[in-house]
Amino acid sequence: LPSSSSLILHLNPSPMSPPQGKGLRDVRNGAILQMVEAATLGLPFEVWKTRMGRFRTENTAVAFRNVYKTAGGGLPGVAAFWSGFTPKMVESASKGAVLLVAKEALLSATSEAGLSPTLAGVVSGAGAGVCQTVVMGPCTFLVTAVVTE
Protein backbone atom coordinates (compact mmCIF):
# COMPACT_ATOMS: atom_id res chain seq x y z
CA LEU A 1 0.00 0.00 0.00
CA PRO A 2 1.30 3.47 -0.80
CA SER A 3 1.85 5.78 2.11
CA SER A 4 -0.35 8.82 2.52
CA SER A 5 2.49 11.11 1.44
CA SER A 6 2.87 9.29 -1.87
CA LEU A 7 -0.83 9.83 -2.52
CA ILE A 8 -0.40 13.56 -2.13
CA LEU A 9 3.00 14.01 -3.71
CA HIS A 10 3.82 12.95 -7.23
CA LEU A 11 7.00 10.93 -6.56
CA ASN A 12 7.89 9.91 -10.09
CA PRO A 13 11.69 9.84 -10.52
CA SER A 14 11.36 11.87 -13.71
CA PRO A 15 8.45 14.20 -12.97
CA MET A 16 6.44 15.65 -15.79
CA SER A 17 7.17 19.25 -16.48
CA PRO A 18 4.43 21.50 -15.10
CA PRO A 19 1.94 22.89 -17.58
CA GLN A 20 3.13 26.15 -19.02
CA GLY A 21 0.70 29.07 -18.95
CA LYS A 22 -0.18 30.64 -22.24
CA GLY A 23 -0.27 34.22 -20.99
CA LEU A 24 -2.49 36.35 -23.18
CA ARG A 25 -4.05 33.27 -24.77
CA ASP A 26 -5.39 32.30 -21.33
CA VAL A 27 -6.85 35.79 -20.93
CA ARG A 28 -8.47 35.62 -24.38
CA ASN A 29 -9.75 32.05 -24.05
CA GLY A 30 -11.15 32.60 -20.58
CA ALA A 31 -12.91 35.76 -21.71
CA ILE A 32 -14.41 34.14 -24.81
CA LEU A 33 -15.63 31.04 -22.98
CA GLN A 34 -17.32 33.03 -20.24
CA MET A 35 -18.88 35.48 -22.74
CA VAL A 36 -20.35 32.64 -24.82
CA GLU A 37 -21.91 31.14 -21.69
CA ALA A 38 -23.38 34.49 -20.64
CA ALA A 39 -24.65 35.40 -24.11
CA THR A 40 -26.42 32.10 -24.71
CA LEU A 41 -28.34 31.16 -21.58
CA GLY A 42 -26.59 32.87 -18.69
CA LEU A 43 -27.96 36.38 -19.19
CA PRO A 44 -31.58 35.43 -20.00
CA PHE A 45 -31.76 33.28 -16.87
CA GLU A 46 -30.10 36.01 -14.81
CA VAL A 47 -32.61 38.64 -16.01
CA TRP A 48 -35.48 36.26 -15.24
CA LYS A 49 -34.06 35.33 -11.81
CA THR A 50 -33.41 38.97 -10.95
CA ARG A 51 -37.02 39.83 -11.86
CA MET A 52 -38.28 37.14 -9.46
CA GLY A 53 -36.02 38.48 -6.72
CA ARG A 54 -37.13 42.05 -7.27
CA PHE A 55 -40.85 41.28 -7.48
CA ARG A 56 -41.29 38.60 -4.83
CA THR A 57 -45.05 38.30 -5.38
CA GLU A 58 -44.53 37.02 -8.96
CA ASN A 59 -44.21 33.29 -9.48
CA THR A 60 -41.87 31.83 -12.08
CA ALA A 61 -44.32 31.90 -15.00
CA VAL A 62 -45.58 35.41 -14.19
CA ALA A 63 -42.03 36.74 -13.91
CA PHE A 64 -41.13 35.17 -17.28
CA ARG A 65 -44.21 36.69 -18.90
CA ASN A 66 -43.52 40.11 -17.37
CA VAL A 67 -39.92 40.18 -18.60
CA TYR A 68 -41.30 39.43 -22.05
CA LYS A 69 -43.98 42.15 -21.73
CA THR A 70 -41.46 44.74 -20.46
CA ALA A 71 -40.55 45.66 -24.03
CA GLY A 72 -44.05 45.14 -25.43
CA GLY A 73 -43.82 41.47 -26.44
CA GLY A 74 -42.81 40.16 -29.85
CA LEU A 75 -39.14 40.37 -30.82
CA PRO A 76 -38.48 43.29 -28.46
CA GLY A 77 -39.96 41.14 -25.67
CA VAL A 78 -37.51 38.35 -26.44
CA ALA A 79 -34.69 40.91 -26.51
CA ALA A 80 -35.70 42.03 -23.00
CA PHE A 81 -34.12 38.82 -21.69
CA TRP A 82 -30.77 40.23 -22.82
CA SER A 83 -31.14 43.61 -21.11
CA GLY A 84 -27.81 44.71 -19.71
CA PHE A 85 -25.94 42.78 -22.44
CA THR A 86 -22.96 45.14 -22.75
CA PRO A 87 -22.12 45.38 -19.04
CA LYS A 88 -22.63 41.61 -18.73
CA MET A 89 -20.15 40.99 -21.54
CA VAL A 90 -17.57 43.23 -19.83
CA GLU A 91 -18.12 41.39 -16.55
CA SER A 92 -17.99 37.98 -18.22
CA ALA A 93 -14.82 38.71 -20.13
CA SER A 94 -13.11 39.90 -16.96
CA LYS A 95 -14.43 36.99 -14.92
CA GLY A 96 -13.36 34.37 -17.45
CA ALA A 97 -9.91 35.89 -17.87
CA VAL A 98 -9.32 35.99 -14.09
CA LEU A 99 -10.49 32.39 -13.68
CA LEU A 100 -8.34 30.89 -16.44
CA VAL A 101 -5.19 32.86 -15.62
CA ALA A 102 -5.50 32.04 -11.90
CA LYS A 103 -6.15 28.36 -12.64
CA GLU A 104 -3.10 28.06 -14.89
CA ALA A 105 -0.86 29.88 -12.40
CA LEU A 106 -2.04 27.72 -9.51
CA LEU A 107 -1.79 24.52 -11.55
CA SER A 108 1.76 25.35 -12.48
CA ALA A 109 2.69 26.19 -8.86
CA THR A 110 1.04 23.10 -7.38
CA SER A 111 2.63 20.83 -9.99
CA GLU A 112 6.06 22.33 -9.27
CA ALA A 113 5.43 21.78 -5.55
CA GLY A 114 5.07 18.07 -6.24
CA LEU A 115 1.33 17.57 -5.80
CA SER A 116 -0.21 14.73 -7.77
CA PRO A 117 -1.91 15.83 -10.99
CA THR A 118 -5.36 15.14 -9.52
CA LEU A 119 -4.78 17.07 -6.32
CA ALA A 120 -3.07 19.88 -8.26
CA GLY A 121 -6.16 20.14 -10.49
CA VAL A 122 -8.55 20.24 -7.54
CA VAL A 123 -6.49 22.83 -5.67
CA SER A 124 -5.97 25.01 -8.74
CA GLY A 125 -9.65 24.87 -9.73
CA ALA A 126 -10.87 25.74 -6.25
CA GLY A 127 -8.21 28.41 -5.79
CA ALA A 128 -9.05 29.98 -9.14
CA GLY A 129 -12.72 30.10 -8.13
CA VAL A 130 -11.76 31.94 -4.94
CA CYS A 131 -9.61 34.39 -6.94
CA GLN A 132 -12.47 34.99 -9.36
CA THR A 133 -14.93 35.65 -6.55
CA VAL A 134 -12.64 38.08 -4.73
CA VAL A 135 -11.75 40.02 -7.87
CA MET A 136 -15.18 40.03 -9.51
CA GLY A 137 -17.53 40.42 -6.53
CA PRO A 138 -17.85 44.20 -6.78
CA CYS A 139 -18.34 44.05 -10.57
CA THR A 140 -21.19 41.58 -10.20
CA PHE A 141 -23.07 43.97 -7.92
CA LEU A 142 -22.73 46.75 -10.50
CA VAL A 143 -23.96 44.55 -13.37
CA THR A 144 -26.98 43.41 -11.35
CA ALA A 145 -27.82 47.07 -10.67
CA VAL A 146 -27.71 47.85 -14.41
CA VAL A 147 -29.77 44.77 -15.35
CA THR A 148 -32.53 45.62 -12.86
CA GLU A 149 -32.87 49.21 -14.08
Side-chain angles (χ1 to χ4, degrees):
L1 278 173
S3 69
S4 61
S5 62
S6 67
L7 292 175
I8 295 174
L9 298 175
H10 183 67
L11 298 176
N12 189 349
S14 58
M16 300 181 341
S17 62
Q20 298 298 314
K22 298 171 203 80
L24 290 177
R25 283 195 294 169
D26 285 337
V27 172
R28 180 199 65 208
N29 291 345
I32 289 170
L33 287 170
Q34 193 70 38
M35 289 170 66
V36 167
E37 181 276 329
T40 54
L41 287 177
L43 186 57
F45 279 122
E46 187 170 330
V47 168
W48 186 12
K49 172 194 74 155
T50 303
R51 170 95 191 179
M52 289 189 299
R54 192 170 178 203
F55 299 98
R56 300 233 179 231
T57 59
E58 296 180 356
N59 66 29
T60 304
V62 171
F64 185 88
R65 199 167 34 254
N66 287 339
V67 169
Y68 179 74
K69 289 179 181 178
T70 299
L75 192 54
V78 172
F81 285 94
W82 280 268
S83 71
F85 182 80
T86 302
K88 184 64 178 178
M89 291 301 104
V90 171
E91 178 205 20
S92 295
S94 305
K95 183 169 36 171
V98 168
L99 181 69
L100 200 55
V101 169
K103 193 260 316 168
E104 289 297 328
L106 289 169
L107 186 60
S108 188
T110 54
S111 295
E112 286 176 14
L115 284 132
S116 69
T118 301
L119 189 55
V122 169
V123 169
S124 63
V130 169
C131 290
Q132 181 187 51
T133 301
V134 169
V135 171
M136 296 307 301
C139 185
T140 303
F141 287 116
L142 295 174
V143 170
T144 300
V146 170
V147 168
T148 57
E149 293 286 319

